[in-house]
Amino acid sequence: MNRPFRFVAVAALVLLQTSCVTLAAPPDSSPVIVIQNATILTVTKGTIERGSILIKDGKIAEVGPTVKAPKDATVIDAEGKFVTPGIIDCHSHIAIDGSVNEGSISVSSIANTAEVLNSDDIDIYRDLAGGVTTGNILHGSANSIGGQTVVIKLRWGQPASKLPFEGALPGIKFALGENPKRSNFGVPGQPKRYPATRMGVEETIRAAFTEARDYKNAWDAYSKKVASGDKKALPPRRDLRLDPLVEVLEGKRYVHSHCYREDEILMLMRVAKEFGFKVRTFQHVLEGYKVADELAAAGVGASTFSDWWAYKVEAYDAIPYSAALMTRRGVLVSINSDDAEEATHLNQEAAKSMKFGGLTHDEALKLVTINPAIQLGIDKRVGSIEVGKDADLVIYNHDPLSAYAVVQKTLIDGRVLFDRDKDIAGRAALEKEKKDLLAREKAAAKKSDEKKGEHAAKPGEKKPDEKAKPPSGDQAAISTNGGAQ
Amino acid sequence: MRMASMHGPTLVAAVFSLAGLSAAAQTPQAATTYAITHAKIFTLAGSTIDDGTLVIKDGKIAAVGASVEVPAGAQVIDGKGLQVYPGLFDSVTQMGLSEIGAVSSTVDSSETGNFNPDVVAATAVSPSSEHIPVTRASGITEVLAVPASGGFDSSGSRAILGGQASAFSLAGWTMNDMQIKRSVAMVINFPIIQTRSFDVATLSRKERPYAEAKQEYEKNLNELTEWIERARHYAQAIGHGGPSDFERDVKLEALAPVVRGQLPVLVFADRARDIRNAVEFCDKQKLKMILAGGSEAYQVKELLRSKNVPVILRPVLTLPVDEDDPYDRLLNQPAELAQAGVKFAIGSFDNSFARRLGQNAANAAAHGLSQDDALKSVTLYPAQILGLADQIGTLETGKLANVIVTNGDPLELTTDVKYLFINGQLTSTDNRHKRLFEKYSNRPKP
């Protein structure tokens, strides 16, 4: 897949998706599991050779050379294998139903990815099979101020309502540069949209926050009146577009801003300072290495690509050394995917920062685990293998910072949601199911052909939609046809 | 700049870093004879030499073996602890034809119109492309530049007869120095029955009835058939008389080697149905077919094997075609094709991501392909498939000295290319990315 215009490609992918039946929800009680004989890469507490992890109630209960496992615990023998915390993808567009861009207006803060989550998106399973357990599900980059965003866990098999990461602060997507100013495409029949320059992008954001500040003041004044016992006070008119921006001003919503060039990075930090909010992460931030000191001083995170470059002018100065250079200068850096396929090998993408810029093994692994967890404000729950944290874990057959590493199992909340052996073992049955369904469809089509003339098919009549799906770990035995949603 | 072999290692390092200082340094005027000694040499032709010497002279591999003498006057590179391989060969790229995908003035990869057999990639390859040094630093020493082969193209067109692909080495002052073979294969984007498409202009999915899509497919196929048949008649006419006897046609002339079976066709097709149609077409027209893309080649592996059609696979790091395909469908495919006896190579199909070539081959190895096949799928096999194995693909005497010296497995993410030889010249691994890294690493604190 070529990747010149991420937001376009992703939109295409999402649009081409067809829906299918959800798996039944797993039973509520989570199993007691002990993973034994593994090389445990804890990320924050060093590496344990031939260690064990005890999992209870979805959490990591014990970690060490040995653990006290109850007799009835399910044992996973990880002899010769490597365990890491689940991969956290700080820039994802999976699990979104329909287009990722509300591309009509330059300030689309009214749109919210959390409201259009699609738990049937097969990319959830594919990324889970690549070790991803948490994703920052972002709106696209068509607008200076894009839509609201949500952090999810890749709980394959659960309904959409169970995907959001409990307690994770919501976000909002901003976008700077070529995409919001529509440098590389136009919409036929529509006039050129403001902003069309980086100058205009700044003013679009300033204008929106000026409005939001007035709106906030109006609400604050109203609240004050109510508090002082004024029963006649009229509340200001609600503005769903400005509400999320007020949350940004109040520090209740993170700003994740798509950007490329150094000038626009400094611009948004300047605007944020003017209005008294903080940018949580710069996304892509391919020229972040040029202003690493400024990013570090402002305490803004950088979530970047491993080695993408040259697909457009603003990506021409991108370098694969950027993650390492920014890390060395004190920036909190993560490596993200922006793409369902790229997400399946983020461990490999992190490894490249050892070659390009000389990060250590631990530093490289942090780029896709604890660092994105800190950036998303969920590091107390995930991002490392520590007692008390969520049992979101990946078991690899090889050192994960290698092109030869293959994910064997992925656990979320202490449940095995991806199991490579079971996936492979289940393929023959799925293939058969697919064949049977096709045969049934063909037979039905034949029958309807015979009936032609008697009942003309109504236009838009729905066909049975029962696509076979890969099994998900411990739910492999559960029928693919029973389902919520 | 000649020096005694005893002083080799340090002095060569000096030459090397000097070359690195100059952005334009591609073929420094250095000695023409080199010897890499005490290295583990993966010749890919017979067994690996654990402690061997490789001699490069006048651009070619002059000797390779366990007990090869270092010629007098050769620059010596101490290869102790290092490994020597043929440079990697990326067999589908738009290298030199496309600089920045989104900027059409920097893109020369797709000509307008549906039938352009006469256009040749080598004509438009820019030797100054920044992609070239970036790519060679990853151990890729030669590429095939393929017109109308995708990448992002603002015109959106992909000609059915796309033109001629050219093979070249990734260093040299002009294309004359770099070119390995000007015309390697004729590109065909095989007509497909396309009911669904994505319209970039309106960011929306477009669908049309099957009958309409089929009609267009048949029209395109008929046109392609006509071109081939006219070319066959034209070739016969050339055979019977001089050009003065008839009106010349440059497009048909370009197709003459194709219908004579001298120039293979590089046919892009991914879905099983399209591959079957393409194989049937080439079989009927007696064209020498190489399949490119091949996402569903595994479904037609018996056909490909029996018709002797080799495949250049798109990156294995690609999502499956269908929602209900196994998640690792493309990762497993190389192993499955190897098992079935289908000849294949792996290409990047890109420029920016060309340096992921080794990563893709390693991922195929992680999913069941042998290590030997994985390495050959990006060296020897593409050379064989494209008819260039007499010049590149292995470390054998007489072949072009496109050679890499690494500190490990060249397919692994963390391996460094320590020395790079292209056309027998010690070539800098300096590039735009390294220079920007060094520049901003040295930025004083504000």
Side-chain angles (χ1 to χ4, degrees):
Chain A
M1 181 176 177
N2 292 296
R3 303 162 152 118
F5 293 102
R6 303 312 314 153
F7 68 99
V8 171
V10 170
L13 211 114
V14 170
L15 278 168
L16 290 172
Q17 215 109 62
T18 55
S19 70
C20 52
V21 181
T22 322
L23 291 168
D28 278 344
S29 66
S30 59
V32 177
I33 297 175
V34 60
I35 301 172
Q36 290 178 345
N37 302 322
T39 300
I40 303 172
L41 305 167
T42 70
V43 174
T44 46
K45 310 250 174 195
T47 297
I48 304 166
E49 307 285 347
R50 292 192 67 83
S52 297
I53 302 171
L54 177 67
I55 298 163
K56 261 189 204 169
D57 302 321
K59 302 278 178 186
I60 297 165
E62 281 186 58
V63 189
T66 56
V67 296
K68 287 183 240 76
K71 275 186 188 148
D72 59 345
T74 305
V75 174
I76 296 174
D77 185 11
E79 177 76 48
K81 301 195 169 66
F82 291 71
V83 184
T84 69
I87 303 288
I88 297 170
D89 185 357
C90 200
H91 192 129
S92 173
H93 299 294
I94 64 168
I96 292 178
D97 194 22
S99 174
V100 302
N101 271 303
E102 174 48 64
S104 55
I105 41 176
S106 290
V107 179
S108 61
S109 42
I110 196 164
N112 190 348
T113 58
E115 287 163 5
V116 290
L117 288 177
N118 170 20
S119 57
D120 289 333
D121 183 357
I122 191 65
D123 288 336
I124 299 175
Y125 184 75
R126 288 166 173 167
D127 289 358
L128 190 64
V132 180
T133 54
T134 294
N136 188 23
I137 308 304
L138 297 175
H139 185 270
S141 54
N143 313 325
S144 304
I145 294 181
Q148 301 166 50
T149 67
V150 62
V151 180
I152 66 164
K153 282 207 187 186
L154 276 63
R155 294 182 178 118
W156 179 246
Q158 297 271 13
S161 60
K162 300 278 197 232
L163 295 182
F165 194 115
E166 305 78 7
L169 220 56
I172 186 163
K173 174 79 169 281
F174 285 14
L176 317 176
E178 293 180 23
N179 288 5
K181 75 193 187 82
R182 290 190 169 164
S183 305
N184 303 310
F185 67 100
V187 180
Q190 277 186 25
K192 212 161 164 57
R193 186 186 76 173
Y194 181 85
T197 66
R198 285 184 171 81
M199 299 180 287
V201 170
E202 174 176 28
E203 294 314 308
T204 301
I205 297 170
R206 287 188 73 237
F209 273 96
T210 304
E211 264 188 85
R213 195 163 52 184
D214 291 347
Y215 176 67
K216 182 181 180 309
N217 289 342
W219 273 100
D220 287 349
Y222 166 73
S223 302
K224 219 172 166 181
K225 278 185 191 168
V226 171
S228 66
D230 181 351
K231 291 203 169 88
K232 286 183 192 158
L234 280 178
R237 183 185 173 131
R238 276 289 297 284
D239 188 325
L240 301 179
R241 189 176 59 104
L242 296 178
D243 279 343
L245 301 186
V246 170
E247 288 171 347
V248 168
L249 292 172
E250 292 172 340
K252 293 173 187 163
R253 184 177 288 280
Y254 289 151
V255 172
H256 301 293
S257 184
H258 160 117
C259 63
Y260 283 83
R261 259 170 40 181
E262 57 170 309
D263 46 76
E264 63 200 23
I265 295 166
L266 295 184
M267 176 276 280
L268 188 62
M269 289 201 286
R270 195 167 60 235
V271 170
K273 201 171 173 187
E274 176 186 348
F275 289 93
F277 68 88
K278 244 181 119 169
V279 179
R280 187 68 182 188
T281 67
F282 277 112
Q283 299 282 329
H284 311 323
V285 61
L286 294 185
E287 289 191 9
Y289 68 94
K290 295 184 177 178
V291 287
D293 295 326
E294 286 83 352
L295 287 168
V300 182
S303 189
T304 189
F305 293 135
S306 56
D307 60 359
W308 300 20
W309 76 292
Y311 42 98
K312 44 186 173 176
V313 171
E314 62 188 5
Y316 202 44
D317 271 7
I319 61 172
Y321 303 88
S322 188
L325 196 160
M326 289 192 287
T327 299
R328 286 282 173 266
R329 292 212 169 204
V331 182
L332 182 70
V333 182
S334 65
I335 284 182
N336 68 45
S337 78
D338 192 13
D339 175 71
E341 192 286 319
E342 184 85 351
T344 65
H345 45 87
L346 278 174
N347 56 310
Q348 297 181 32
E349 300 317 305
K352 291 174 183 173
S353 61
M354 297 196 289
K355 174 187 168 91
F356 295 108
L359 290 192
T360 65
H361 194 279
D362 265 358
E363 285 173 325
L365 197 54
K366 281 180 178 177
L367 297 173
V368 290
T369 54
I370 193 69
N371 288 5
I374 297 169
Q375 290 177 341
L376 295 171
I378 52 176
D379 52 302
K380 292 217 161 42
R381 289 267 307 271
V382 293
S384 62
I385 299 179
E386 292 180 66
V387 173
K389 282 200 171 182
D390 295 6
D392 293 4
L393 302 166
V394 193
I395 304 177
Y396 291 92
N397 64 346
H398 198 287
D399 178 352
L401 297 183
S402 159
Y404 296 96
V406 178
V407 174
Q408 304 298 304
K409 287 182 174 61
T410 309
L411 291 82
I412 293 182
D413 303 327
R415 290 197 179 91
V416 180
L417 294 189
F418 168 74
D419 184 321
R420 180 162 164 83
D421 290 340
K422 281 187 183 166
D423 182 292
I424 291 167
R427 287 178 193 178
L430 279 171
E431 197 55 40
K432 187 182 175 301
E433 189 183 352
K434 188 176 171 181
K435 267 192 187 149
D436 291 349
L437 284 167
L438 281 171
R440 213 166 80 188
E441 278 277 290
K442 271 185 191 162
K446 204 178 162 194
K447 215 171 166 185
S448 100
D449 276 353
E450 284 164 6
K451 278 190 178 175
K452 239 177 202 169
E454 293 172 37
H455 310 282
K458 287 175 197 153
E461 199 166 41
K462 262 200 164 176
K463 283 184 181 173
D465 188 8
E466 294 180 78
K467 272 200 177 171
K469 283 184 113 171
S472 89
D474 55 2
Q475 297 144 36
I478 299 167
S479 156
T480 51
N481 290 332
Q485 180 101 351
Chain B
M1 196 189 283
R2 296 192 154 220
M3 49 200 80
S5 61
M6 292 303 287
H7 303 110
T10 45
L11 289 169
V12 167
V15 168
F16 190 58
S17 55
L18 262 176
L21 284 177
S22 157
Q26 306 210 320
T27 48
Q29 294 300 309
T32 53
T33 306
Y34 299 92
I36 306 160
T37 60
H38 299 298
K40 188 168 182 178
I41 303 175
F42 294 78
T43 62
L44 306 194
S47 56
T48 297
I49 304 159
D50 283 326
D51 180 1
T53 298
L54 182 119
V55 177
I56 293 168
K57 197 179 175 192
D58 300 330
K60 299 278 165 63
I61 296 169
V64 55
S67 50
V68 166
E69 293 264 324
V70 173
Q75 287 191 25
V76 175
I77 288 172
D78 183 3
K80 207 166 167 28
L82 300 177
Q83 306 182 359
V84 185
Y85 300 86
L88 308 188
F89 179 16
D90 193 347
S91 47
V92 175
T93 72
Q94 302 86 35
M95 196 67 62
L97 298 177
S98 172
E99 191 67 14
I100 300 175
V103 183
S104 60
S105 51
T106 70
V107 180
D108 282 301
S109 51
S110 279
E111 189 46 83
T112 187
N114 256 342
F115 298 93
N116 307 305
D118 49 334
V119 306
V120 186
T123 298
V125 167
S126 166
S128 302
S129 168
E130 297 282 5
H131 288 270
I132 291 173
V134 165
T135 302
R136 71 179 180 229
S138 71
I140 296 170
T141 51
E142 65 270 345
V143 299
L144 190 70
V146 184
S149 63
F152 184 76
D153 172 24
S154 38
S155 75
S157 75
R158 286 189 62 185
I160 296 171
L161 278 174
Q164 297 161 52
S166 307
F168 63 95
S169 295
L170 291 184
W173 295 105
T174 70
M175 196 56 180
N176 296 340
D177 310 330
M178 299 161 79
Q179 191 168 295
I180 295 172
K181 193 175 181 187
R182 183 170 162 84
S183 183
V184 174
M186 178 66 68
V187 174
I188 296 181
N189 282 299
F190 202 77
I192 58 174
I193 302 171
Q194 198 168 16
T195 54
R196 279 180 176 186
S197 60
F198 186 77
D199 185 25
V200 178
T202 56
L203 306 183
S204 63
R205 187 178 72 183
K206 283 194 170 162
E207 284 209 48
R208 57 180 177 168
Y210 178 82
E212 194 184 313
K214 179 117 193 286
Q215 203 173 16
E216 189 186 328
Y217 161 76
E218 278 163 1
K219 177 181 158 280
N220 285 336
L221 192 61
N222 284 341
E223 278 188 64
L224 177 61
T225 308
E226 267 176 38
W227 274 97
I228 299 296
E229 282 173 358
R230 277 163 56 208
R232 186 166 288 117
H233 296 145
Y234 189 87
Q236 279 170 356
I238 300 174
H240 285 113
S244 56
D245 297 343
F246 55 90
E247 209 173 308
R248 279 188 66 180
D249 182 318
V250 288
K251 287 185 187 246
L252 294 178
E253 207 155 289
L255 282 171
V258 173
V259 295
R260 288 190 192 115
Q262 293 157 344
L263 188 68
V265 283
L266 185 62
V267 183
F268 285 77
D270 278 287
R271 303 295 303 230
R273 177 176 64 190
D274 305 325
I275 299 171
R276 270 190 222 104
N277 289 343
V279 172
E280 190 191 340
F281 176 83
C282 291
D283 200 38
K284 202 172 153 193
Q285 294 292 345
K286 296 188 174 59
L287 307 182
K288 202 172 151 206
M289 173 173 169
I290 301 165
L291 175 64
S295 296
E296 288 184 342
Y298 67 94
Q299 286 189 27
V300 288
K301 59 191 177 189
E302 287 312 318
L303 177 70
L304 295 172
R305 191 192 47 76
S306 67
K307 296 289 181 189
N308 232 347
V309 176
V311 189
I312 301 175
L313 292 168
R314 65 178 60 258
V316 300
L317 293 173
T318 301
L319 290 180
V321 180
D322 286 325
E323 191 176 14
D324 50 2
D325 283 335
Y327 75 93
D328 56 358
R329 185 58 268 180
L330 272 84
L331 290 156
N332 289 331
Q333 176 159 269
E336 191 172 339
L337 294 183
Q339 182 81 25
V342 176
K343 187 96 184 174
F344 68 90
I346 299 173
S348 77
F349 287 57
D350 200 78
N351 284 354
S352 300
F353 289 107
R355 60 181 162 193
R356 290 188 174 188
L357 185 66
Q359 182 183 8
N360 274 283
N363 273 269
H367 287 83
L369 185 66
S370 75
Q371 194 66 35
D372 185 54
D373 275 341
L375 190 54
K376 286 178 179 166
S377 73
V378 290
T379 50
L380 177 60
Y381 295 160
Q384 289 171 336
I385 289 169
L386 295 167
L388 302 169
D390 57 330
Q391 294 184 74
I392 50 173
T394 60
L395 299 180
E396 289 177 281
T397 305
K399 283 202 180 178
L400 205 60
N402 284 0
V403 178
I404 55 173
V405 184
T406 68
N407 60 357
D409 172 7
L411 309 183
E412 183 57 287
L413 304 165
T414 45
T415 300
D416 287 320
V417 173
K418 294 291 181 187
Y419 301 97
L420 179 65
F421 290 91
I422 294 180
N423 281 325
Q425 288 296 325
L426 187 56
T427 303
S428 170
T429 55
D430 184 38
N431 60 64
R432 177 182 185 84
H433 298 175
K434 260 191 191 175
R435 287 192 300 276
L436 283 165
F437 173 56
E438 279 155 19
K439 177 177 173 184
Y440 285 92
S441 292
N442 293 321
R443 181 188 167 198
K445 292 255 173 199

